[in-house]
Amino acid sequence: MADLDMPAKTHGVGVFLELRKRLQTGLLIVGKAVASSPADVVVTGGDSSLHIRTPRGELSLTLPAGVTLEQGSCVPTPAGESCGEELHFRLRISVTPSADEEASDSVVETLRAKETYCFHCQGCMTRLLEDRVFKRVLPLPNGNWNAIVDDWCCHPDPFANRKLLPRAEDCLLGDTFLLLARDGGCEQTLAEEVSSVGSEDSQDSKKTCRRLALVSCKSCSLVLGEAVAPESLKLYITQVVVEPAVGDRMPEASLNRSLYLEQTLAARLLGLSTSMSTFHFSVQTPDGKAFLLLWLLNSDSITASVPQTRVGGDSSLHSPSARVLKLLYTARSDTGIQHRDIVSSWEANAIGHPVVLPLKVCEELLQVIDDSNSALPASMRSMRYYEVAYLRL
């Protein structure tokens, strides 16, 4: 049985499936190296499974609990410009709500006051801080709050040149980071290095070069965040693992970096989209420069992909089924005319809620998204001058 999961990076997609739980529909794509005509493909449903028979062999895809194929609903559909390489089929599904179908929340949604938490480096799982019990867990204003402060006040900006900093037992929650106070163990676990961001000869005269005190793990040198004040730390949610402190339980082994980054940011984007009713995000570096533009399409898709080389052989995939975010994206560095027009339009119309991440994390995220895109069938990789990708929840 092949579990529904994100497609693995391959040179040729043999079978690709996307289900939409809200619409109760699905798209099945079969490469012509696997089957040359629609008559060669027979699709039937089982108990939370989808069975596909082709000349190359039979394949079973595990569906999430409560999802079943409506028998006889799978019919061929035009493949457009990809008709020479792919066969497309539309199908209908029945969905029974399941208690465990929701994605896990990100760190920002789960932290609570008067609970005990431990903080570990995501790279090596070294314990970074002493166990914390926060008296207050408070959300910070949105990332662009300074830009609209004049609309709140009838007198000069009272927040000018002032930082919002946590007290000793506070945890302040940003969109992608935590602000908290240092403790006595920081000297043994954290290292600091001053770094410059921005460019003194930048064409944008409003953005001058400034210096950041970067904080990293002494054990593995992973950059964790910034020292925003002598006694205050900004830790990015992609760089630390925050868990409830339960007895003497030891943390799990270091999580796969790409998967942790993907799932953490997918959960956070979904949380921001739900709470703010926004679907456009501008991934930015700490100096405010846009790096990646994301357009969230839906959060109810489930995908499965089996490489062409594994159809008819050992097609077992062992990853658990998962919901995914389907999104459109374009990188700020893309030089095509259409891409430049998209970036200019977003900037001119102030489209995109800012999502601030360290430069290296932005580069890692782009690599994860590009890998997802390159694993899709050719017909699924682009839409209206954007690239298409999926992020696992």
Side-chain angles (χ1 to χ4, degrees), residues 209-250:
C209 179
R210 62 192 183 97
R211 300 169 75 81
L212 295 179
L214 299 181
V215 175
S216 60
C217 172
K218 277 191 175 181
S219 297
C220 69
S221 300
L222 178 71
V223 174
L224 306 171
E226 306 163 19
V228 294
E231 298 301 324
S232 300
L233 297 173
K234 173 193 282 188
L235 301 179
Y236 287 97
I237 61 174
T238 58
Q239 311 303 93
V240 295
V241 177
V242 184
E243 296 181 333
V246 181
D248 296 326
R249 183 174 67 89
M250 297 296 293

Side-chain angles (χ1 to χ4, degrees), residues 47-103:
D47 183 16
S48 293
S49 62
L50 193 71
H51 307 291
I52 305 169
R53 188 169 73 246
T54 72
R56 288 273 294 267
E58 295 189 11
L59 178 68
S60 293
L61 303 177
T62 301
L63 304 181
V67 179
T68 57
L69 171 72
E70 288 191 10
Q71 298 293 352
S73 68
C74 187
V75 296
T77 189
E81 296 179 356
S82 300
C83 61
E85 300 176 355
E86 302 170 1
L87 300 174
H88 288 203
F89 301 84
R90 291 288 178 184
L91 53 89
R92 295 192 304 274
I93 58 175
S94 298
V95 179
T96 302
S98 174
D100 60 352
E101 67 181 5
E102 294 301 320

Side-chain angles (χ1 to χ4, degrees), residues 70 232 271 290 329 349 380 385:
E70 288 191 10
S232 300
Y329 74 97
N349 296 287
M380 298 284 289
Y385 304 118

Side-chain angles (χ1 to χ4, degrees), residues 91-314:
L91 53 89
R92 295 192 304 274
I93 58 175
S94 298
V95 179
T96 302
S98 174
D100 60 352
E101 67 181 5
E102 294 301 320
S104 59
D105 293 329
S106 70
V107 170
V108 175
E109 276 98 23
T110 58
L111 280 172
R112 299 288 183 268
K114 299 181 181 179
E115 300 285 341
T116 305
Y117 295 96
C118 50
F119 292 75
H120 300 272
C121 170
Q122 197 281 317
C124 64
M125 296 307 290
T126 294
R127 190 189 194 93
L128 299 173
L129 305 172
E130 297 172 358
D131 287 356
R132 294 291 182 92
V133 179
F134 299 112
K135 286 187 176 180
R136 302 191 306 173
V137 178
L138 303 173
L140 287 165
N142 293 335
N144 59 350
W145 69 275
N146 295 86
I148 60 174
V149 72
D150 288 338
D151 297 331
W152 302 347
C153 306
C154 58
H155 47 77
D157 181 2
F159 306 106
N161 302 316
R162 295 179 63 186
K163 296 180 179 179
L164 296 177
L165 298 175
R167 297 176 183 173
E169 296 178 306
D170 286 351
C171 180
L172 305 184
L173 307 177
D175 287 342
T176 56
F177 60 85
L178 313 174
L179 280 183
L180 37 80
R182 288 175 177 269
D183 61 36
C186 290
E187 296 300 322
Q188 285 71 46
T189 60
L190 302 179
E192 283 190 31
E193 178 183 359
V194 176
S195 175
S196 298
V197 297
S199 176
E200 294 180 348
D201 57 358
S202 171
Q203 295 179 355
D204 188 349
S205 59
K206 295 181 179 179
K207 295 181 179 178
T208 58
C209 179
R210 62 192 183 97
R211 300 169 75 81
L212 295 179
L214 299 181
V215 175
S216 60
C217 172
K218 277 191 175 181
S219 297
C220 69
S221 300
L222 178 71
V223 174
L224 306 171
E226 306 163 19
V228 294
E231 298 301 324
S232 300
L233 297 173
K234 173 193 282 188
L235 301 179
Y236 287 97
I237 61 174
T238 58
Q239 311 303 93
V240 295
V241 177
V242 184
E243 296 181 333
V246 181
D248 296 326
R249 183 174 67 89
M250 297 296 293
E252 299 178 4
S254 181
L255 304 173
N256 176 277
R257 174 61 183 169
S258 294
L259 180 60
Y260 182 82
L261 176 66
E262 180 179 356
Q263 293 181 326
T264 298
L265 288 178
R268 193 66 195 114
L269 291 175
L270 179 58
L272 290 170
S273 177
T274 301
S275 64
M276 302 181 62
S277 297
T278 184
F279 304 95
H280 298 83
F281 299 93
S282 174
V283 179
Q284 302 177 1
T285 52
D287 58 357
K289 292 182 179 178
F291 185 90
L292 186 63
L293 306 180
L294 305 178
W295 183 352
L296 177 59
L297 291 185
N298 61 67
S299 60
D300 68 325
S301 289
I302 302 167
T303 60
S305 183
V306 178
Q308 171 187 316
T309 55
R310 296 180 65 181
V311 177
D314 178 12

